Amino acid sequence: MVAINLEGIQARDNRLYSRILLSRVRDLMLDVREIELAPIDITPRQAYILLILYHLGHKATLSQLSRYNERQASTISVQMTKMEKAGLVRKVRKTTKSTLLIFEMTTKGLDTYYKSEKQTSEKVIMSALSEKERLQLIASLKKILNKAAEYHK
């Protein structure tokens, strides 16, 4: 494995260095979250879907879940099928003759959501920043996100 001199990258191209750091932070926080959620047998993405369902009144359509996850409906559909098999959600029709499906949290899903919210890793990691620094980080990340979304169109 070749060692990369990140300080050299920082000196030459701080945009690239910023992106590398963002990637590293994202990857490490995701790894820590996966480890933290392993005992309750869910993935970070499933925990996020449970969070969305919880805040949408414990039920949502596939299009709502897709919009909040910023993922294609087909991707969310696969995830919801796995979650349904695990007993975390159930699929119901809006009305008996309707083709519109709604995903509802089950009792197991709600219990799993509460367990997933008892996370400590994020609080500990983010405590490296003061409240003011976190607000500045949020503002900066929103700027980057908006610019990326604008460029993506």
Side-chain angles (χ1 to χ4, degrees):
M1 185 165 140
V2 176
I4 298 174
N5 179 357
L6 290 182
E7 286 68 32
I9 292 173
Q10 179 183 14
R12 287 189 313 278
D13 187 346
N14 63 12
R15 286 184 200 94
L16 174 60
Y17 185 65
S18 298
R19 186 173 56 82
I20 290 169
L21 288 178
L22 279 170
S23 268
R24 282 181 152 188
V25 167
R26 179 190 173 278
D27 291 347
L28 279 171
M29 288 186 78
L30 183 61
D31 288 348
V32 168
R33 185 71 169 139
E34 284 173 347
I35 292 165
E36 188 173 56
L37 292 172
I40 57 174
D41 200 29
I42 63 169
T43 65
R45 188 158 291 162
Q46 290 171 332
Y48 186 58
I49 288 172
L50 290 175
L51 172 82
I52 292 167
L53 283 169
Y54 181 81
H55 287 283
L56 291 177
H58 301 205
K59 58 185 173 184
T61 65
L62 194 59
S63 64
Q64 286 175 310
L65 292 170
S66 178
R67 184 173 55 247
Y68 286 108
N69 271 284
E70 297 183 0
R71 302 267 186 254
Q72 296 291 324
S74 58
T75 303
I76 299 302
S77 180
V78 170
Q79 190 68 252
M80 297 311 290
T81 299
K82 290 177 184 176
M83 291 177 73
E84 187 176 23
K85 285 179 184 175
L88 300 171
V89 299
R90 72 176 152 262
K91 195 178 349 179
V92 296
R93 296 200 182 277
K94 182 133 175 125
T95 63
T96 52
K97 294 183 181 183
S98 173
T99 58
L100 182 63
L101 295 174
I102 295 176
F103 291 93
E104 295 180 341
M105 285 177 103
T106 61
T107 304
K108 180 180 178 183
L110 186 60
D111 182 52
T112 302
Y113 164 74
Y114 288 134
K115 289 176 182 174
S116 73
E117 285 302 293
K118 292 180 181 174
Q119 64 186 11
T120 57
S121 63
E122 184 180 289
K123 291 177 182 92
V124 171
I125 293 167
M126 294 307 288
S127 73
L129 301 175
S130 69
E131 179 72 17
K132 183 179 177 182
E133 289 170 324
R134 282 192 300 274
L135 292 173
Q136 289 171 337
L137 175 64
I138 291 167
S140 296
L141 290 173
K142 280 183 171 182
K143 282 182 182 179
I144 294 168
L145 183 63
N146 290 337
K147 194 65 165 182
E150 181 184 301
Y151 190 81
H152 186 260
K153 290 181 182 180

